[in-house]
Amino acid sequence: MLLPMRAEALKGHLDGLLLALLEAGPAHGYAVIEALRSASGGTFDLPTGTVYPALRRLEEDGLVKSAWHEPAGERRRRVYELTAKGRKTLAAQRDAWHQFSTAVSAVMVGDRAWTPLPTT
Amino acid sequence: MDTVADYLSRLDAALPLPVGQRHRIVAEVSDGLHCAIERGARSGMDVGQAERAAVAEFGDPVRLAAQFTQALAPGMARRVGLALVVTGPMVGLAWLAGIGHGVDWTSRLSSVLSALPYFPVILAVTVPAAIVAVLRGSVSLRRNISSRGATLAARLACSGCLLADTVLIASAAGGLQSGRFTASAWITLAFGLSALRWVGAANATWRLARLRVAGY
């Protein structure tokens, strides 16, 4: 059984994960936390307090935007969605992650599919 | 006081942020806590258990407040720096038109500088500090690193701005009283812009001072 990953292990990847989850569509903070839990099969069970401030930081940087949403008969919720700048950043982070993870696999498990980028 | 209300009250008290930001954070965390309580109830907990589990899931409110502050402080510093960089030329031109003498801008600038010879020193500190606040704030946001450099630069820029506007307003008021300057629409505009900026800078100084007290 996989143990939940510690928050420190995800530092540096959290922004990309949150952007990827919001790519599916707008969501409120707790829905993002639950989606992170379920999409990772419980591996990324971050302290809830880590995710809300991270969403606010992404908003300050213009990668997501948010607005209060109050469906009839339901609680008022702050809903986050990806901006155009957020989509570009997500695409760049995906490329960087693909390169990184393929390189790590090549070294750690001998996956020869990876070829280094030219250095020139 | 119930568990959730107590948690939200402690969170609010620990946030060294403007009241609008605090209300938004508390409202958002309140919604999150209620989502967590509903989740607990669905898994068979009674209300009390679900509330305690939700509060435990969100963690120490003081630590959560620190994480929110860390997330928002760089943006605050960046906005302050940007506001000063953008308003600086506008206010400066209004003062040159209002209290400067001469037919062109160069001679107007010379006349203002000869009346206020120490003014370039204030600008030499304030303008770079505002630019540093913008740049360091952006870097802190992007890399999720400490915003102390950005907030320090923003505080310095605000202090310089307050001093600059005070000097300009005081010298223009003195000049009008002594008859050195004559009242004009430009002087009125310059007074108005500087007064508005002074209030904005004083407000920003207060907000940044609260961050400083909290260690940011």
Side-chain angles (χ1 to χ4, degrees):
Chain A
M1 183 186 141
L2 285 172
L3 290 172
M5 199 168 272
R6 293 172 66 88
E8 301 87 73
L10 280 179
K11 199 173 180 188
H13 304 299
L14 182 60
D15 291 3
L17 292 170
L18 296 178
L19 293 176
L21 290 168
L22 287 171
E23 192 184 28
H28 61 86
Y30 203 78
V32 170
I33 292 161
E34 291 201 307
L36 187 61
R37 244 183 233 136
S38 78
S40 67
T43 307
F44 300 157
D45 194 7
L46 288 174
T48 305
T50 309
V51 174
Y52 282 96
L55 285 169
R56 289 303 303 275
R57 187 168 42 74
L58 294 176
E59 186 176 12
E60 286 281 317
D61 203 19
L63 303 181
V64 304
K65 60 182 180 180
S66 75
W68 287 111
H69 185 62
E70 195 168 7
E74 287 184 36
R75 260 197 322 273
R76 194 167 76 120
R77 284 179 161 159
R78 193 87 192 174
V79 172
Y80 292 86
E81 70 178 294
L82 221 48
T83 61
K85 186 182 172 190
R87 284 181 201 285
K88 276 186 197 163
T89 303
L90 174 60
Q93 292 205 5
R94 273 206 177 110
D95 287 345
W97 171 254
H98 186 253
Q99 182 68 20
F100 173 77
S101 61
T102 315
V104 170
S105 294
V107 174
M108 293 190 76
V109 294
D111 177 358
R112 297 295 171 208
W114 177 70
T115 47
L117 285 174
T119 51
T120 51
Chain B
M1 194 182 277
D2 70 44
T3 312
V4 172
D6 178 51
Y7 184 90
L8 294 174
S9 156
R10 287 167 61 203
L11 173 66
D12 188 34
L15 286 166
L17 296 169
V19 70
Q21 293 275 16
R22 290 209 321 269
H23 285 171
R24 179 182 156 181
I25 290 167
V26 170
E28 197 173 4
V29 170
S30 169
D31 171 54
L33 283 168
H34 283 100
C35 287
I37 291 167
E38 286 161 7
R39 182 175 176 240
R42 280 197 303 274
S43 69
M45 292 180 189
D46 66 37
V47 177
Q49 282 175 322
E51 281 184 355
R52 285 191 294 279
V55 161
E57 184 184 329
F58 273 72
D60 177 12
V62 174
R63 188 173 154 77
L64 180 57
Q67 286 175 318
F68 270 113
T69 309
Q70 178 65 45
L72 296 172
M76 281 173 71
R78 187 171 67 168
R79 275 192 295 279
V80 167
L82 203 56
L84 297 182
V85 167
V86 169
T87 57
M90 209 164 41
V91 176
L93 284 175
W95 279 113
L96 281 183
I99 62 172
H101 297 295
V103 286
D104 56 19
W105 289 105
T106 315
S107 49
R108 281 174 179 271
L109 181 61
S110 302
S111 71
V112 171
L113 292 182
S114 62
L116 305 169
Y118 47 86
F119 202 74
V121 178
I122 302 175
L123 291 183
V125 175
T126 308
V127 175
I131 293 170
V132 168
V134 175
L135 298 177
R136 287 292 298 265
S138 300
V139 170
S140 297
L141 268 179
R142 206 149 299 142
R143 297 193 188 160
N144 192 15
I145 55 174
S146 167
S147 59
R148 279 187 191 177
T151 51
L152 175 68
R155 282 199 302 271
L156 189 60
C158 276
S159 304
C161 178
L162 284 170
L163 182 61
D165 282 324
T166 304
V167 164
L168 286 167
I169 289 171
S171 66
L176 284 171
Q177 213 166 20
S178 67
R180 197 154 44 94
F181 305 132
T182 48
S184 69
W186 279 114
I187 287 191
T188 309
L189 177 68
F191 258 118
L193 289 176
S194 258
L196 274 177
R197 199 170 65 154
W198 194 95
V199 171
N203 190 26
T205 303
W206 164 245
R207 290 175 178 194
L208 292 164
R210 288 195 68 195
L211 285 181
R212 186 189 176 193
V213 169
Y216 294 91

